[in-house]
């Protein structure tokens, strides 16, 4: 399934791109994700935990930056993982594109997610909602971290701290807090503009 | 389709149950009626290390309370029990109406009201009904007790504000005034299936037939039961039937953003929501007219 | 004695089934048996790069774990049942060690003390897959340059075939009217309430392997196993348990699990039992139905058919289990109509979904859907009554045998043996109250209600060869034992074949027992499928029973010293013209002719060993027929369909047990209703199945199935001495067409088109609103 | 056969007979009845609560035995299909099933019998609509329900 997402950030596009092309940063923004090993060549071992109510999955696998164009500010990240209990696999290809806007940057995120196995085999559209939320969360968190001006916030995870699983509850909270931040941001923008 | 390994606990006292949940936290899961959790365990979609069965807490938790101002449904009240309760049919007819549409009697015999709410399947009937009844959810843990409004309880598919160490102890609703009328409508492909959409609606009507309060919630069209505020706004302040059905349907459709799946497209679900809202409002009007006849 | 054939004798099976004493496979008490569970591919198309079984093997309670590579000796192709010289076949291995072609394909097997532990161990198996592009629809399969379902294939085409009679291109070109349309029928499953199961025990002392299998075709399974295991057939005993919880086609196929389980039991020298759970059943039991029909019809201004051309895309699934289904489809399109020019083109292709094979109806519902939807369109086009258009085109009762001009699935020319299609349709419409229903429809339509009437007729090839057999023996306890090769799944064989034998023997049913489905008791057999058993095993039983009567009478006459013509049977006694003073019991006859006296010469004229056998091989298929009619109301807001009235007219020739035939037809109808309105084995574009539980796949309950008025006419088949035809599928075949016709008829004022089965509420509403986008959303999901 | 867990001791009655068994935490009631007590009349058709083949009566209420743990049955009274026949004769409901050809393969039959038995104790089955509602929590793939509806109307009046 294809998940499209875009958001505006009050930051210089090059800085935003620099932030997003660092896999550590992306992992730090991705709910329930952590990098466990740097394999070199923009390639990392990591895991993603998902928990929706009593349903859980824990994917371990490899993520790598497969394409990067600093001029066009386009990067493509590919991650492939499998569930620890053999319940299936997940594969994501995320293309990020950063463009300059009047007030800073616009990030568009296009994620093609393929899930196989039990989680993918329930017809009621829950996984579509969950995936949409996860990518939304990623966007919100990325925006937050960039605007907080701490692109290095996610320290290289050689000593990985156990990341909490992606809990839908926490997602919502983050999404909500993101919403308020966005609202504040918009107000701030307005102020900035007015001041300018 | 056999469940994975877990340790089963059957506490006899609430305190004991709460201690277990506190001890095991995220590794534990409460088992009430089990009619949603057990299938997930059998599919091995859900995994738990500790299953805390609250069915043996018994007694008080198994009986609904019809007090002067409040009706309280504790954790172990079975769906079938409430469905067959004459008192419920009298004071909360919408609940009786909705309960009859939950799966099948064999499931309702064991399934609990609170369990269904805590499971928070957005296509289920009870979350939307308790939403329009403006229910108060009482959550208890070893850390203490808190209450949460229905509007704040549901967060996402299968996800509520319940912390891993908490139990949904009971859910309570204010005794409805005599001028309150309500209805539940759902449409499922097959009897007992998850609804393609459902609508719970409730109106309070003054002596002139003007709606003074309206609450409508849709099921199956969002990750949580979704209040249809715009429709509520349209209905409130006028007599039932005054606002055109197409205006109401359009408002309802505009307000929901369902996900397409193999059973129905988002467009269909939006459209169906509008249809069901109107049908529920017609039911309400019929009940109101019957009451005044 | 009254005739048993044609009597609604109560079933003998019921007593045990109603008291919980049925003997299904999982009820077998096999001391020391181990449980098995299969790891199945979670990818639609992938290659196994590496498989690590070590953690699973170490789990306490696990006895053994095998990957496909560990059982290399049995990785031999499971042959397609029906072949064609042009078929591009890909080997279907029991548990492939390399490339996997659908979600659900067996990858490894765990043998453990309990099924619980076996499933724990599945979670510990670590497989590295190379995921390959998947094909999840016939459209994707036939798209030039698209992904390949088998990576070593040149294309996804399994076979391209054309059947034709007359000059269709020319007839279409010159026809005064032409209509064309595309129809799609969705995948669905058999969904027997008991899933598949296999248990096996190896006897090292004799080298014999005993296998209990829920199969519809035990002899076929034995023959396949004999080839794969390189063992003599006599060393393999396949038993279909006395009670099997439904078949409906998928259990007639032969699967990898049936090869793996007995072999593992042999390797481990321990009994092993595998009982498929519902989740496995959803992703590994064969399915059917998905076909796209592009059909074009040419007709004159009176609605007389001049030509039909149908191009069929058939989803073979990941492997070809046989071409029976698409072959049947091609031969079912013409139905009961005279069609001077017909051309049917089949494009069967491979996809990365569960392989398809026969499911109750077997290729016929799709053909009837396409043809009968078009009959309605012809009527609509000409402003004629749809029933009238059908009557004008029906083959008449005096035209049998009727040669259609094309070939049936059994290889013989499609030749209808008997029937009376006009009478069948007339009777169906009379019972619906057709004229009144049309008046009612007009009246309610004026009130803004959407009432529709749907009709569909069909002809069903059944009673297929090659043969089926029976043995009749007088046992040494003085009872008559009828042994069939065929295995039952609830059809009531123990009752029906005792009825037939009773008539053949002239002996009361009470003294007759029936045994089925055990390869050690009768050497040859084919199996229960394609509505064939009554028409093949029935005559065999009758013949063997008649032979036995001659033997019994001769023996009794000899012993009583009278003329054989003077012998009659009363209860279990053969007597001289009913004189019980001069009579012998069956036991006494057995004592003389079977048991004998050790070393003493038989009385003169007595022939030893009272056993007879008979194999009946029909000259060609027989053809049952039927017509369905429905009146429905559609709620255009929700898309809900209410069936107001449903009538089935059915002709399966003579019937042995009318009540059981009714049960077959009505049960088949419920299945057809599922195909018409509910059942969708959906896959996403990556080949992930989307309906893998009954929460997402709806089987009809008593609340959905309407009361049906069922009637029969009886056009005996000249092809077998009983004059019978098949009855197991007729209820299913025209149901999707009937409902779709009724729904489109209801929506005619709105101009909505119904081109797909099942007809679901969402699609109805979208068709009304012409929501192309919404339709695309649903298709894509 | 034992699971790796040590298990729980449970006692109660099934069809009036007392049992005293040790079960694993996760063993379902259906497996307990079938495997420990060898009451194989209760069948497993879907193990997720939809098909109803495993329906038994627990303390008077028709319940899915695939959605209950054996340990939860501790102290309860359970009835299964094996209890229905009276002195070796089919009871009224069973006889009505037989007479009306309400079963073919028989796999779903036990569940239907137990669901209908529980419903009949709640009151008479009034009409066809009521009969269909009572039957709607169980799935039969063979009969098309016609015989079942007739049987329930006949036995349940």
């Amino acid at each position: 399934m294809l998940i499209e997402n875009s958001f505006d950030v009050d930051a210089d596009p090059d800085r935003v791109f620099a932030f997003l092309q660092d896999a550590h940063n992306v992992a730090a923004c991705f709910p329930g994700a952590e990098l466990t090993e740097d394999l070199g060549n923009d390639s990392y071992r990591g895991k993603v935990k998902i928990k929706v109510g009593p349903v859980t999955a824990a994917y371990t696998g490899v993520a790598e930056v497969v394409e990067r164009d600093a001029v066009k500010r386009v990067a493509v990240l590919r991650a492939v993982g499998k569930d620890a209990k053999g319940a299936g696999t997940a594969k994501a290809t995320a293309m990020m594109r950063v463009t300059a806007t009047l007030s800073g940057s616009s990030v568009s995120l296009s994620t093609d997610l393929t899930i196989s196995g039990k989680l993918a085999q329930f017809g009621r559209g829950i996984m579509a909602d969950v995936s949409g939320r996860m990518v939304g969360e990623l966007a919100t968190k990325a925006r937050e971290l960039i605007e907080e001006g701490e692109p290095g916030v996610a320290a290289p995870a050689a000593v990985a701290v156990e990341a909490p699983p992606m809990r839908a509850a926490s997602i919502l909270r983050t999404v909500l807090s993101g919403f308020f931040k966005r609202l504040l941001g918009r107000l701030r923008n307005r102020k900035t503009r007015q001041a300018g | 389709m056999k469940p994975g390994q877990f340790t089963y606990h059957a506490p006899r006292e609430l305190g004991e149950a709460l201690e277990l949940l506190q001890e095991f936290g995220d590794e534990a899961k409460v088992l009430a009626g089990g009619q949603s959790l057990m299938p997930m365990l059998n599919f091995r979609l859900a995994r738990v290390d500790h299953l805390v069965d609250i069915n043996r807490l018994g007694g008080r938790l198994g009986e609904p309370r019809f007090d002067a101002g409040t009706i309280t449904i504790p954790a172990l009240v079975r769906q079938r029990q409430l469905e067959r309760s004459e008192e419920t049919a009298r004071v909360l007819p919408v609940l009786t109406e909705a309960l009859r549409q939950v799966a099948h009697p064999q499931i309702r015999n064991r399934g609990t009201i609170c369990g269904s709410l805590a499971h928070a399947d957005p296509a289920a009937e009870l979350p939307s009904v308790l939403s329009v009844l403006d229910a108060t959810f009482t959550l208890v843990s070893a850390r203490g007790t808190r209450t949460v409004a229905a509007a704040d309880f549901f967060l996402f598919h299968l996800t509520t504000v319940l912390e891993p160490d908490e139990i949904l102890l009971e859910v309570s609703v204010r005794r409805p005034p005599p001028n309150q009328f309500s209805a539940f409508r759902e449409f499922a492909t097959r009897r007992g299936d998850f609804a393609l959409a459902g609508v719970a609606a409730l109106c309070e009507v003054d002596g002139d037939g003007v709606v003074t309060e309206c609450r409508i919630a849709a099921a199956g069209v969002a990750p949580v039961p979704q209040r249809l505020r715009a429709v509520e706004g349209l209905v409130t302040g006028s007599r039932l039937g005054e606002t055109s059905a197409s205006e109401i349907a359009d408002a309802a459709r505009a307000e929901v953003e369902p996900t397409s799946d193999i059973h129905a497209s988002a467009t269909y679900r939006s459209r169906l929501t509008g249809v069901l809202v109107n049908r529920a409002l017609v039911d309400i009007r019929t009940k109101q007219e019957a009451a005044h006849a | 004695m009254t005739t048993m054939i044609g009597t609604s004798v109560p079933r003998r099976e019921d007593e045990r089934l109603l008291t919980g004493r049925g003997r299904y496979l999982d009820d077998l008490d096999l001391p020391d048996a181990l449980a098995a569970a299969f790891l199945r591919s979670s990818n639609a198309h992938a290659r196994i790069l590496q498989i690590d079984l070590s953690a699973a093997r170490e789990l306490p309670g696990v006895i053994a774990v095998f990957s496909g590579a560990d059982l290399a000796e049995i990785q031999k192709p499971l042959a397609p049942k029906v072949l064609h010289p042009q078929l591009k076949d890909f080997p279907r291995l029991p548990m492939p060690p390399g490339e996997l072609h659908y979600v659900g394909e067996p990858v490894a097997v765990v043998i453990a003390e309990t099924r619980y532990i076996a499933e724990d161990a599945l979670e510990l198996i670590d497989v590295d897959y190379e995921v390959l592009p998947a094909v999840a629809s016939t459209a994707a399969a036939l798209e030039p340059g698209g992904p390949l379902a088998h990576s070593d294939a040149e294309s996804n085409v399994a076979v391209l075939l054309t059947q034709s009679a007359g000059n269709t291109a020319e007839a279409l070109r010159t026809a005064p009217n032409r209509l064309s349309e595309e129809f799609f029928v969705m995948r669905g499953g058999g969904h027997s309430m008991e899933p598949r199961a296999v248990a096996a025990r190896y006897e090292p002392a004799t080298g014999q392997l005993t296998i209990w299998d829920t199969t519809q075709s035990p002899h076929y399974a034995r023959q396949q196993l004999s080839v794969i295991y390189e063992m003599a057939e006599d060393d393999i005993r396949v038993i279909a348990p006395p009670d099997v919880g439904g078949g409906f086609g998928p259990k007639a196929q032969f699967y990898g699990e049936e090869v793996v389980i007995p072999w593992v039991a042999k390797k481990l020298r321990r009994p092993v039992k595998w009982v498929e759970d519902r989740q496995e059943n959803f992703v590994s039991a064969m399915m059917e139905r998905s076909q796209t029909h592009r059909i074009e019809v040419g007709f004159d201004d009176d609605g007389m058919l001049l030509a039909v051309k149908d191009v069929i895309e058939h989803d073979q699934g990941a492997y070809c289990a046989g071409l029976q289904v698409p072959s049947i489809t091609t031969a079912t399109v013409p139905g009961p109509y005279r069609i001077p020019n017909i051309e049917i083109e089949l494009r069967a292709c491979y996809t990365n979904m569960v392989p398809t094979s026969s499911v109750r109806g077997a290729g016929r519902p799709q053909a009837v859907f396409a043809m009968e939807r078009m009959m309605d369109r012809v009527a609509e086009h000409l402003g004629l009554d749809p029933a009238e258009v059908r009557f004008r085109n029906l083959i008449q009762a005096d035209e049998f045998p009727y040669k259609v001009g094309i070939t049936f699935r059994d290889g013989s020319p499609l030749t209808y043996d008997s029937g009376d299609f006009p009478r069948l349709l007339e009777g169906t419409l009379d019972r619906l109250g057709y004229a009144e229903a049309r008046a009612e429809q007009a009246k309610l339509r004026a009130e803004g209600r959407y009432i529709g009437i749907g009709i569909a007729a069909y002809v069903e090839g059944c009673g297929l060869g090659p043969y089926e057999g029976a043995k009749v023996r007088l046992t040494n306890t003085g009872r008559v034992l009828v042994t069939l090769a065929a295995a039952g799944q609830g059809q009531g064989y123990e009752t029906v074949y005792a009825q037939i034998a009773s008539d053949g023997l002239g002996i009361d049913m009470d003294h007759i027992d029936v045994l089925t489905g055990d390869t050690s008791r009768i050497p040859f057999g084919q199996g229960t499928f394609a509505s064939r058993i009554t028409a093949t095993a029935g005559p065999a039983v009758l013949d063997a029973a008649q032979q036995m009567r001659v033997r019994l009478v001769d023996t009794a006459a000899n012993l009583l010293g009278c003329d054989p013509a003077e012998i009659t049977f009363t209860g279990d006694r053969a007597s001289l013209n009913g004189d019980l003073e001069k009579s012998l019991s069956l036991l006494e006859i057995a004592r003389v002719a079977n048991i004998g006296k050790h070393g003493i010469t038989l009385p003169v004229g007595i022939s030893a060993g009272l056993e007879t056998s008979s194999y009946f091989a029909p000259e060609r298929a027989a053809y049952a027929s039927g017509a369905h009619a429905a009146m429905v109301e559609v709620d255009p807001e929700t898309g809900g369909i209410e069936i107001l009235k449903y009538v089935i007219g059915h002709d399966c020739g003579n019937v042995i047990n009318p009540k059981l035939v009714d049960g077959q037809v009505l049960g088949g109808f419920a299945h057809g209703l599922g195909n018409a309105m509910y059942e969708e084995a959906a896959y996403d574009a990556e080949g992930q199945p989307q309906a893998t539980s009954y929460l997402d796949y709806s089987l009809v309950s008593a609340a959905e199935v309407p009361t049906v008025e069922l009637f029969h006419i009886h056009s005996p088949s000249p092809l077998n001495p009983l004059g019978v035809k098949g009855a197991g599928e007729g209820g299913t075949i025209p149901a999707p067409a009937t409902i779709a016709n009724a729904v489109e008829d209801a929506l005619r004022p709105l101009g909505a088109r119904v081109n797909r089965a099942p007809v679901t509420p969402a699609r109805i509403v979208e068709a009304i609103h012409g929501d192309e986008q919404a339709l695309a959303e649903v298709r894509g999901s | 056969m034992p699971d790796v867990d040590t298990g729980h001791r449970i006692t109660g009655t099934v069809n009036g007979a007392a049992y005293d068994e040790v079960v694993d935490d996760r063993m379902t009631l259906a497996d307990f009845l079938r495997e420990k007590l060898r009451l194989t009349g209760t069948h497993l058709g879907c193990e997720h609560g939809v098909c109803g083949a495993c329906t038994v009566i627990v303390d008077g209420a028709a319940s899915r035995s695939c959605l209950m743990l054996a340990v939860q049955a501790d102290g309860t009274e359970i009835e299964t299909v094996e209890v229905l026949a009276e002195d070796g004769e089919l009871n009224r409901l069973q006889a009505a099933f037989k007479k009306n050809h309400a079963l073919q393969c028989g796999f779903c039959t036990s569940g239907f019998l137990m669901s209908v038995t529980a419903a009949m104790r709640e009151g008479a089955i009034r009409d066809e609509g009521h009969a269909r509602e009572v039957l709607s929590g169980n799935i039969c793939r063979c009969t098309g329900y016609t015989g079942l509806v007739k049987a329930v109307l006949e036995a349940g009046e």
Side-chain angles (χ1 to χ4, degrees), chain B residues 17-250:
Chain B
L18 298 178
E19 276 169 32
L20 286 164
L21 289 175
Q22 189 168 45
E23 182 184 348
F24 299 118
D26 233 355
E27 295 175 356
K29 182 82 191 159
V30 174
L31 176 67
Q35 303 301 288
S36 301
L37 181 59
M38 282 298 299
M40 288 183 147
L41 288 170
N42 287 356
F43 277 122
R44 296 195 182 215
L45 263 179
R47 302 170 186 287
V48 294
D49 293 321
H50 295 272
L51 201 55
V52 179
D53 181 359
I54 60 171
N55 284 287
R56 308 229 175 238
L57 303 184
R60 223 169 46 82
L61 288 185
E63 289 304 324
R65 300 195 299 276
F66 297 87
D67 300 329
T70 315
I71 296 132
T72 305
I73 308 161
L76 290 176
V77 176
R78 310 282 164 186
Q79 291 159 7
R80 186 96 169 122
Q81 179 188 353
L82 211 58
E83 173 197 344
R84 290 166 61 81
S85 136
E86 286 171 17
E87 184 101 40
T88 309
R90 199 164 57 245
V91 298
L92 289 174
V94 67
L95 195 51
T96 312
E97 219 174 292
L99 280 166
R100 286 198 186 121
Q101 301 183 55
V102 176
H104 297 283
Q106 299 90 333
I107 298 292
R108 302 199 293 272
N109 276 336
R110 286 200 63 78
T112 63
I113 314 290
C114 287
S116 171
L117 296 170
H119 184 67
D121 191 310
E125 293 80 2
L126 298 179
S128 63
V129 173
L130 275 296
S131 292
V132 298
L133 289 171
D134 230 352
T136 301
F137 293 64
T138 303
L139 283 47
V140 60
S141 71
R143 294 174 287 118
T145 301
R146 60 176 176 140
T147 58
V148 176
D152 300 325
F153 183 73
F154 302 101
L155 293 180
F156 192 61
H157 290 276
L158 315 182
T159 309
T160 68
V161 297
L162 277 165
E163 294 292 339
D165 64 345
E166 282 181 315
I167 290 177
L168 175 55
L169 186 68
E170 58 190 34
V171 58
S172 57
V173 298
R174 289 182 303 282
R175 192 176 273 267
N179 64 335
Q180 188 188 89
F181 303 94
S182 49
F184 180 81
R185 282 273 186 161
E186 72 174 19
F187 185 78
T189 308
R190 193 193 73 105
R191 174 187 284 262
D193 279 355
F194 279 108
L196 295 174
V199 165
L202 172 155
C203 293
E204 285 174 24
V205 185
D206 70 13
D208 298 327
V210 173
V211 176
T212 53
E213 167 84 25
C214 172
R215 293 192 291 272
I216 301 175
V221 294
V224 293
Q226 189 184 347
R227 283 284 290 276
L228 304 179
R229 307 275 180 186
V231 182
E232 293 172 4
L234 271 178
V235 173
T236 311
S238 61
R239 286 189 188 80
L240 285 166
E242 267 178 13
T243 315
S244 79
S246 63
E247 197 180 340
I248 287 171
D250 287 347

Side-chain angles (χ1 to χ4, degrees), chain C residues 702-730:
Chain C
E704 285 74 41
V705 180
T707 303
V708 173
E709 187 173 344
L710 167 64
F711 77 99
H712 301 269
I713 67 170
H714 304 285
S715 309
S717 173
L719 300 172
N720 65 69
L722 289 168
V724 295
K725 301 176 178 182
E729 301 176 90

Side-chain angles (χ1 to χ4, degrees), chain C residues 10-12 14-15 17-22 24 26-29 32-34 60-61 113-114 116-117 120 189-195 243-246 248 270 277-278 282 360 489-491 659-660 663-664 666-668 670-671 679 693-695 697 699-703 705-707, chain D residues 1-4 26-28 31 34-35 38-48 50-51 53 81-85 88-90 93-95 97-101 103-110 112-113 128 131-133 135-147 149:
Chain C
R11 297 204 321 167
R12 300 174 148 190
D14 288 356
E15 197 100 347
L17 299 175
L18 285 162
T19 51
R21 290 182 291 111
Y24 300 92
D26 197 21
D27 304 339
L28 292 175
D29 202 350
D32 224 17
L34 298 167
E113 296 288 348
T114 69
Y116 288 78
I117 297 170
D120 291 345
H191 294 279
S192 54
M193 283 295 101
E194 179 200 35
D243 297 306
V244 170
F248 315 119
R270 290 268 306 262
D277 67 28
R278 190 54 67 180
F282 266 105
R360 197 173 204 167
Q489 300 80 36
Q491 297 90 337
K659 187 169 255 184
L660 303 200
Q664 286 295 317
L666 294 167
H671 194 141
E679 298 181 33
S693 80
Y694 290 138
L695 303 173
Y697 188 95
L699 295 182
V700 293
S701 78
V705 180
T707 303
Chain D
M1 264 160 277
D3 205 341
V4 288
R26 60 173 164 167
M27 179 176 254
T28 63
D31 284 340
R34 290 182 50 80
E35 283 164 28
R38 292 297 298 162
L39 291 169
T40 54
T42 299
H43 301 141
L44 283 171
C46 78
E47 294 181 272
H48 56 282
V50 183
C51 82
V81 67
E82 285 90 349
V83 82
L84 296 180
E89 296 287 315
L90 299 183
L93 181 64
Q94 290 169 311
F97 267 52
K98 178 170 180 172
K99 183 179 153 202
N100 293 287
H101 193 29
L103 66 153
Q104 288 179 26
C105 83
F107 198 77
C108 68
T109 305
S110 313
F112 272 102
L113 287 169
E128 184 180 328
R132 287 187 183 274
E133 189 185 317
L135 293 166
S136 71
N138 293 68
I139 303 289
C140 166
R141 192 61 157 170
C142 294
T143 64
Y145 304 102
T146 306
V149 171

Side-chain angles (χ1 to χ4, degrees), chain C residues 25-26 28-38 63-66 71 109-115 118 197-203 209-213 229 257-276, chain D residues 1:
Chain C
L25 195 144
D26 197 21
L28 292 175
D29 202 350
L30 275 176
D32 224 17
L34 298 167
F38 284 90
I63 306 300
V65 186
F66 302 100
L71 302 175
V109 62
V110 173
I111 311 298
E113 296 288 348
T114 69
R115 173 80 188 200
V198 182
R201 185 167 60 200
Y202 180 65
E203 301 292 350
L209 194 50
T210 305
I211 300 161
W212 292 267
D213 188 340
Y229 293 164
E257 294 91 342
E258 291 169 274
V259 178
V260 170
I261 296 296
W263 191 252
V264 166
K266 185 171 180 242
K267 261 179 116 80
L268 297 175
R269 300 283 200 267
R270 290 268 306 262
V272 175
K273 181 159 82 177
W274 168 70
V275 178
E276 180 184 58
Chain D
M1 264 160 277

Side-chain angles (χ1 to χ4, degrees), chain C residues 518-582:
Chain C
D518 180 345
T519 60
S520 73
R521 294 178 185 272
I522 179 165
F524 311 111
Q526 295 291 326
T528 299
F529 58 90
S531 297
R532 63 184 292 278
I533 288 301
T534 316
T536 52
V541 169
L542 183 68
D543 180 48
Q546 285 167 341
Q547 290 180 45
M548 177 56 81
R549 179 177 173 91
V550 172
R551 305 249 347 243
L552 291 173
V553 165
D554 283 352
T555 309
N558 193 292
L559 293 171
L560 293 170
C562 64
D563 189 272
E566 293 173 307
I567 295 290
T568 58
F569 283 94
T570 311
D572 69 339
R573 303 192 77 82
S575 64
L576 176 60
N577 287 326
D579 179 2
L580 292 182
E581 296 294 310
K582 290 175 185 162

